[in-house]
Amino acid sequence: MNSTEWPLWEVFTQKKSGLPFEHAGCIHAPDKEMALLNARDVYSRRNEATCLWVVPSGAIVSSTPDDMGSFFEPANDKIYRHPNFYKTPGANFD
Amino acid sequence: MKNDALFEYCLRLGDTSLILSQRLGEWCGHGPILEEDIALTNISLDLLGQARSFLTYAGETEGKGRNEDDLAFFRDEREFRNFLLAEQPNGDFGVTLLRQFLICTQQYFLYQELSNSKDSSLSALAARSFKETTYHLRHCSGWVQRLATGTEESRQRMLDALDSLWRYTGDMFDTDELEKGLIKSGIAPDTDLIRKKWDTRVREVFSEASLSIPENVFQITGSRQGRHTEHLGHLLAEMQVVPRSYPGAVW
């Protein structure tokens, strides 16, 4: 990274109160206040959100492609982990 | 007579937003960083919205059938009533942000007071503009402080910007008989009150930025009478060329 470049921040937007925050994208900013304002201008200037989070990208901990097998596959062949026998509102296990 | 005064007053409000919007629009694609490019043009669009409303209302008040476009594109330099400060060239990023801060602070207190106007259209437009101006002010106050307390170079640029722009600040508070009449009838807010609030806020932001208010600077005024600096003509030429070359064009 170019050393004169501002730090990277991840932006999360909440469409309305009570809904989960969703990742919108990322922006550059020199500090917290600027990160919030930039996030607003880039991702919510057309009324897309009612609340914003900005998080330094370095603070995000992510799983890696190597984790894929051990993390996610075991669920595939264990039908008893999926509550297919119940009707659950808003969930789709197909 | 009352309508003439109101027409003139709406031009003063609308023209400052229009010309400042045009100036900020010049940054489109030239911002120092993508995020700031979007921020400046975003403010520019808000200002354009304000200009459209005030000029539309000016046209209605005048009663000669002129709409926002007629007023924006078919008036000449001497008929414009925008603050001299608004037409000053963008210069570097520091000049643009300081100019924005100085005008924005005026607009912030103006709209706050104007939202109590006895003219219901003006009060509604002011209340709407006040919200977005609150955001603009937060944006540019932060930048004034950041640049003035940043590196040696950014600070020097802010000092230079202050030196070149301060002479146009008095023009924002120049009050004539027409405005005094509107203040008396409760349509326009008291200019002295706005000046006081402006002064206090500017001092607060400057003190956090370790900037001092320049003393004994000769103030250039004239926007109330349509006497502008040499920069407005060039700006208008660019802004008006298309509608004047192709009147009535639509796309």
Side-chain angles (χ1 to χ4, degrees), chain A residues 40-41 45, chain B residues 17 21 39-52 128-129 131-133 135-136:
Chain A
R40 183 268 180 186
D41 285 333
R45 67 184 179 281
Chain B
S17 292
S21 168
L40 290 174
T41 43
N42 185 46
I43 294 176
S44 170
L45 280 178
D46 284 346
L47 290 169
L48 187 64
Q50 294 172 14
R52 292 187 58 182
R128 201 184 67 191
S129 306
K131 281 185 203 160
E132 58 200 30
T133 306
Y135 181 79
H136 304 162

Side-chain angles (χ1 to χ4, degrees), chain A residues 13-22 50-51 53:
Chain A
T13 55
Q14 186 187 38
K15 284 198 179 66
K16 62 182 199 190
S17 174
L19 289 180
F21 281 75
E22 286 174 13
T50 56
C51 189
W53 284 349

Side-chain angles (χ1 to χ4, degrees), chain A residues 6 26-28 30-31 33-34 36-38 40-42 45, chain B residues 33-36 38-40 42 46 135 138-139 142-143 146:
Chain A
W6 291 341
C26 48
I27 47 115
H28 288 96
D31 54 45
E33 163 76 0
M34 210 62 231
L36 205 52
L37 298 189
N38 285 349
R40 183 268 180 186
D41 285 333
V42 176
R45 67 184 179 281
Chain B
I33 183 163
L34 174 82
E35 287 81 349
E36 197 51 35
I38 292 176
L40 290 174
N42 185 46
D46 284 346
Y135 181 79
R138 181 168 167 183
H139 184 89
W143 268 115
R146 249 177 230 105

Side-chain angles (χ1 to χ4, degrees), chain A residues 9-92:
Chain A
W9 303 70
E10 302 297 322
V11 179
F12 298 83
T13 55
Q14 186 187 38
K15 284 198 179 66
K16 62 182 199 190
S17 174
L19 289 180
F21 281 75
E22 286 174 13
H23 187 233
C26 48
I27 47 115
H28 288 96
D31 54 45
K32 285 185 205 174
E33 163 76 0
M34 210 62 231
L36 205 52
L37 298 189
N38 285 349
R40 183 268 180 186
D41 285 333
V42 176
Y43 295 107
S44 188
R45 67 184 179 281
R46 300 189 185 95
N47 233 348
E48 294 94 330
T50 56
C51 189
L52 287 171
W53 284 349
V54 285
V55 181
S57 299
I60 302 271
V61 184
S62 171
S63 65
T64 66
D66 290 345
D67 296 326
M68 201 129 94
S70 58
F71 269 40
F72 309 114
E73 275 173 28
N76 287 346
D77 57 359
K78 298 185 186 64
I79 193 158
Y80 52 84
R81 283 178 175 264
H82 300 269
N84 289 358
F85 317 106
Y86 308 98
K87 281 191 176 139
T88 45
N92 183 3

Side-chain angles (χ1 to χ4, degrees), chain B residues 69-88:
Chain B
D69 288 337
D70 298 325
L71 290 170
F73 298 123
F74 295 93
R75 277 182 301 147
D76 290 326
E77 194 186 333
R78 291 296 295 257
E79 296 167 274
F80 271 80
R81 296 291 181 262
N82 58 280
F83 296 151
L84 301 180
L85 189 54
E87 72 207 31
Q88 296 312 305

